Amino acid sequence: MVLLSVLDHVTRAMLVRRGVESRFVETPVGRVHVYDARGEGAAPPVVFLHGIAASSAVFAPTLARLRKKSRRVLAVDAPGHGLSSTPWMTLGPERLFESLSYVLDHELDTKALVVGNSLGGAMALRYAQRRPDRVAGLALTSPGGAPVEDPEERERFLRGFVLENVRDARDFLGRLNHAVPWYGPLVAPDLVRIFKNPSVRSILDGLEPRHFFAPGELASLSMPIHVIWGKSDRVIPSCCLEFFKENLPPHTVFLEPEGIGHSPHTEDPRAFADFVLRALERAS
């Protein structure tokens, strides 16, 4: 079954009909697909970065609302994800950041609000560290990148991304969402295929302690930062939320909504759009 792949192409057709440009950027890692929507507002550009094994299609419901306020909205498919090509080399965490950073450096001519979910949140934080002159603000949902110090908990965390069969996929969906959506059983076989994709596996298998944020490393971030961490998130350990509370700067705004899991952009698109709009207002 390739339901999620079909969904990517259907989403592309829908967005193109609404005036969103769908194109590719050549990076040192491979061809990266980008949605580029010209906006009607005067607020800074907005960039969306998705999580592991997902695609930029998950942000489609939010694009229309953001275009009314922002001058430009970008959504990027990571290499080997969505409509981007298979990388020309083994990906890994460093080359993933290299490719995404290349796209943002290439596309942005002014500071932007960078929105990231999970792995995309980790990439957004890393980009803000290294390119603060290009980041007007951060809007993060269950961002990755925090260390998990306890060896047993770290092993459980990483093992949770090993999907060998449909049962594993259904278990993952249960941890991902507050309540598994009706279409969950339909996409479970696709999730098994995607998590076995070499591009996805190379990111997860390539993780080393040096790829995680160190205490004190994020304290110098001066741009506005907003974080949503759903109380039903069972993908990333709660110790990671505590790390960010202790190590992001004091001006960071944390929201912990009830009834939301790891992916508020799919579980409650309207509330997610409101969250991004608030972050955009603060970054303007």
Side-chain angles (χ1 to χ4, degrees):
M1 183 182 290
V2 289
L3 185 59
L4 292 176
S5 178
V6 170
L7 180 61
D8 280 330
H9 286 86
V10 170
T11 300
R12 181 186 194 180
M14 177 192 70
L15 291 175
V16 168
R17 282 198 303 271
R18 296 179 179 177
V20 177
E21 186 179 5
S22 169
R23 56 184 172 79
F24 294 88
V25 177
E26 299 290 343
T27 79
V29 172
R31 299 176 76 223
V32 170
H33 175 254
V34 175
Y35 287 119
D36 188 351
R38 297 295 170 180
E40 304 168 11
V46 180
V47 179
F48 288 97
L49 303 177
H50 62 77
I52 190 78
S55 78
S56 60
V58 297
F59 298 118
T62 312
L63 290 179
R65 289 189 66 188
L66 268 292
R67 292 178 77 181
K68 295 177 182 178
K69 297 291 185 179
S70 171
R71 68 193 72 163
R72 186 183 183 197
V73 182
L74 294 167
V76 184
D77 281 329
H81 292 66
L83 300 176
S84 291
S85 69
T86 301
W88 300 327
M89 59 193 77
T90 301
L91 193 55
E94 281 143 350
R95 288 190 174 130
L96 172 66
F97 177 76
E98 177 187 355
S99 62
L100 293 175
S101 181
Y102 183 95
V103 172
L104 299 190
D105 286 351
H106 181 271
E107 293 295 323
L108 296 176
D109 56 6
T110 187
K111 285 188 174 185
L113 174 71
V114 184
V115 183
N117 169 247
S118 195
L119 176 63
M123 295 293 104
L125 280 165
R126 190 67 76 191
Y127 189 75
Q129 278 186 303
R130 300 189 184 177
R131 304 281 199 278
D133 57 313
R134 293 178 179 267
V135 180
L138 293 168
L140 313 172
T141 60
S142 294
V148 181
E149 301 295 349
D150 181 81
E152 291 185 4
E153 189 168 31
R154 183 168 59 248
E155 173 62 22
R156 285 195 301 272
F157 167 53
L158 295 176
R159 193 169 59 241
F161 295 99
V162 178
L163 275 57
E164 296 291 348
N165 50 50
V166 170
R167 177 182 293 179
D168 290 342
R170 289 176 176 169
D171 177 70
F172 178 78
L173 287 167
R175 290 182 285 112
L176 188 73
N177 300 280
H178 173 73
V180 178
W182 65 267
Y183 54 81
L186 299 177
V187 302
D190 264 9
L191 285 177
V192 176
R193 174 183 58 82
I194 291 171
F195 272 96
K196 289 184 177 182
N197 181 314
S199 298
V200 173
R201 289 303 337 154
S202 69
I203 297 169
L204 295 166
D205 295 343
L207 283 172
E208 299 178 10
R210 61 191 174 90
H211 294 129
F212 295 93
F213 298 112
E217 185 179 356
L218 302 171
S220 63
L221 295 177
S222 60
M223 68 285 295
I225 305 172
H226 290 244
V227 178
I228 281 185
W229 200 289
K231 287 189 178 294
S232 295
D233 188 343
R234 295 178 292 275
V235 172
I236 299 184
S238 59
C239 65
C240 296
L241 172 59
E242 296 309 312
F243 174 88
F244 285 123
K245 285 182 175 180
E246 292 172 6
N247 289 279
L248 284 172
H251 61 261
T252 303
V253 176
F254 285 92
L255 298 174
E256 298 177 61
E258 299 280 357
I260 294 293
H262 189 67
S263 304
H265 48 280
T266 58
E267 294 183 86
D268 193 341
R270 183 178 295 276
F272 173 71
D274 289 340
F275 163 74
V276 177
L277 285 168
R278 287 194 298 271
L280 182 62
E281 181 177 356
R282 191 168 168 223
S284 298

